[in-house]
């Protein structure tokens, strides 16, 4: 059922983006499409974060659906690019998806493992096709769809272990913020390269650094990412 919910959610996001572009509607309709897609995941896919385990168990209660909805929409929009970008920018979500797949393999989460591998292979095909033909352009429809997949995988793993929130934050959100910060100072290729190496570095650290130390990264750099959202230049939500 979760696979079906994911498919319906992606279709909803694609339709919302295409209709918004075709009729030049307000971007609020894109957000509404993302909310509808997220509600499908929650209601049909029965995927939600009902508690957080941080030494003690914190039940979310009535905040379960709002909290899950916030995470889904927030992570979806990490990949929400306003302008057409170099296809190489897809290296960032590719690294994130690979990290999801590795984590799912160790945890034993089949949905995340299968979806992560399939999505990684799809992105690799797009990257190779774009490299050899130069005909692939990355727009909002593709990036928000990828962001939604990553958001769903995030919730699925967070439901198993809250520490896995590290993956989308440090292999996607942080590298994207870095990319926005340095893109005016370097060429597009150099900016993407630096951001991708940053994503890989933090992805590797997840399997080396003890989890209790990772929490300092999660809390500290999450605050930095939130602060950057007050600046339109670095905003991704």
């Amino acid at each position: 059922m979760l696979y079906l919910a994911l498919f319906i959610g992606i279709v909803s996001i694609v339709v919302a983006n295409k209709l918004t572009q075709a009729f030049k509607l307000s971007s609020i309709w894109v957000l509404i499409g993302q909310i509808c897609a997220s509600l499908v995941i929650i209601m049909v896919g029965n995927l939600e974060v009902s508690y957080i385990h941080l030494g003690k168990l914190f039940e979310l209660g009535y905040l379960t659906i709002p909290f899950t909805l916030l995470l889904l929409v927030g992570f979806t929009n990490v990949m929400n690019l306003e302008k057409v970008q170099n296809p190489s920018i897809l290296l960032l979500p590719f690294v994130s998806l690979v990290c999801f797949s590795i984590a799912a393999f160790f945890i034993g989460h089949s949905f995340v493992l299968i979806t992560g591998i399939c999505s990684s292979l799809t992105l690799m095909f797009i990257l190779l096709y774009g490299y050899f033909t130069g005909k692939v352009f990355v727009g909002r429809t593709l990036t928000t769809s990828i962001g939604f997949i990553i958001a769903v995988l995030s919730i699925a793993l967070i439901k198993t272990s809250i520490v896995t929130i590290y993956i989308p934050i440090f292999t996607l959100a942080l590298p994207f913020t870095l990319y926005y910060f340095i893109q005016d100072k370097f060429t597009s290729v150099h900016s993407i390269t630096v951001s991708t190496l940053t994503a890989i570095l933090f992805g590797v650290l997840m399997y080396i650094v003890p989890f209790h130390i990772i929490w300092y990264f999660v809390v500290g750099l999450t605050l930095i990412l939130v602060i950057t959202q007050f600046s339109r230049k670095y905003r991704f939500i």
Side-chain angles (χ1 to χ4, degrees), residues 8 24 36-37 43 54 63 92 120 132 186 191-192 197 200 207 226 228 230:
I8 295 173
K24 297 181 180 179
C36 291
M43 302 301 181
L54 298 174
L63 295 176
L92 294 178
S120 300
F132 287 111
F186 300 95
S191 300
I192 292 172
L197 290 176
I200 294 173
Y207 303 102
V226 170
T228 61
F230 291 102

Side-chain angles (χ1 to χ4, degrees), residues 42-134:
I42 295 172
M43 302 301 181
V44 179
N46 194 30
L47 187 64
E48 59 186 26
V49 181
S50 57
Y51 64 88
I52 298 176
H53 192 277
L54 298 174
K56 294 176 62 178
L57 193 65
F58 296 93
E59 294 286 347
L60 294 178
Y62 293 112
L63 295 176
T64 294
I65 292 180
F67 181 74
T68 305
L69 193 61
L70 177 64
L71 288 180
L72 285 170
V73 175
F75 286 142
T76 296
N77 282 287
V78 170
M79 284 290 296
N80 191 350
L81 303 178
E82 294 184 2
K83 299 179 181 178
V84 174
Q85 299 285 338
N86 187 318
S88 298
I89 197 71
L90 295 179
L91 283 171
L92 294 178
F94 175 77
V95 172
S96 188
L97 288 167
V98 169
C99 289
F100 273 118
S101 300
I102 295 173
F105 175 77
F106 287 117
I107 294 175
H109 201 299
S110 59
F111 169 75
V112 176
L113 179 61
I114 294 172
T115 306
I117 290 175
C118 292
S119 300
S120 300
L121 292 176
T122 301
L123 285 185
M124 179 58 69
F125 172 77
I126 295 174
L127 285 165
L128 291 175
Y129 182 78
Y131 176 79
F132 287 111
T133 65

